[in-house]
């Protein structure tokens, strides 16, 4: 059985294998970029699935906002191509854009909070590892 490390984090007291602590301290950010599914699975196995799932939902929501903005732009271009100006754009496009602007601002604030939460957890894991006498981070991080 792998050695467990017990330590305090902003999420509360955790007891994780050293491998899991190293993952959170050094690899979790890269893992989210490579495969959100694998990141979530790893976090679930560590008992931190809720944090990962919430973060993934925010990333997905952000991507959806980008798609919605593109659709609004295409609709505006179509209206302009048809010669519609003023009221047509004001009635159809502007309300969508305003609603999206509010949703995007809210999603970005939540995403920032999620990133800060993950960063605080990562920092706590790094600090816990530094308390192990003679511990050295994986060699790929020291080069």
């Amino acid at each position: 059985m792998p050695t467990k490390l017990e330590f305090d984090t902003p999420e509360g007291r955790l007891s994780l294998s050293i491998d899991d602590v190293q993952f959170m301290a050094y690899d979790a950010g890269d893992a989210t970029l490579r495969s959100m599914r694998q990141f979530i699975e790893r976090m679930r196995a560590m008992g931190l699935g809720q944090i990962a799932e919430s973060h993934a939902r925010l990333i997905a929501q952000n991507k959806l906002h980008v798609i919605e903005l593109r659709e609004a732009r295409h609709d505006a271009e179509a209206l302009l191509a048809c010669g519609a100006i003023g009221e047509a754009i004001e009635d159809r496009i502007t309300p969508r854009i305003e609603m999206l602007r509010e949703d995007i601002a809210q999603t970005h604030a939540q995403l920032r909070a999620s990133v800060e939460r993950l960063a605080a957890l990562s920092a706590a894991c790094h600090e816990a590892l530094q308390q192990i006498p003679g511990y050295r981070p994986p060699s790929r991080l020291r080069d």
Side-chain angles (χ1 to χ4, degrees):
M1 173 181 236
T3 303
K4 294 267 185 172
L5 189 59
E6 191 169 321
F7 57 102
D8 290 317
T9 74
E11 301 300 319
R13 192 142 181 89
L14 293 180
S15 178
L16 298 171
S17 71
I18 290 178
D19 187 48
D20 286 342
V21 177
Q22 284 183 151
F23 171 78
M24 279 309 304
Y26 309 122
D27 301 320
D30 287 338
T32 62
L33 297 175
R34 286 190 314 270
S35 172
M36 188 60 74
R37 182 182 54 78
Q38 288 176 350
F39 170 70
I40 291 170
E41 288 173 5
R42 178 76 185 260
M43 294 288 283
R44 280 181 184 151
M46 294 166 47
L48 300 169
Q50 183 182 17
I51 297 169
E53 290 164 3
S54 174
H55 187 71
R57 276 191 296 277
L58 291 168
I59 297 287
Q61 184 64 45
N62 192 57
K63 289 178 181 180
L64 180 61
H65 289 317
V66 170
I67 292 168
E68 291 172 340
L69 283 170
R70 285 185 184 136
E71 287 175 354
R73 184 189 75 211
H74 291 306
D75 291 350
E77 289 170 348
L79 285 171
L80 289 172
C82 293
I85 55 172
E87 281 185 34
I89 290 179
E90 190 69 30
D91 292 343
R92 295 182 187 170
I93 303 300
T94 302
R96 280 174 61 191
I97 297 295
E98 288 303 315
M99 194 169 67
L100 271 171
R101 183 176 291 143
E102 291 173 19
D103 288 349
I104 289 168
Q106 182 179 21
T107 300
H108 282 192
Q110 292 170 343
L111 192 52
R112 272 190 301 279
S114 180
V115 167
E116 289 172 3
R117 185 179 184 191
L118 286 167
L121 182 56
S122 176
C125 288
H126 174 74
E127 182 64 30
L129 289 167
Q130 297 305 309
Q131 301 306 310
I132 300 171
Y135 176 79
R136 292 178 50 96
S139 62
R140 69 186 173 350
L141 298 172
R142 289 180 278 167
D143 296 332

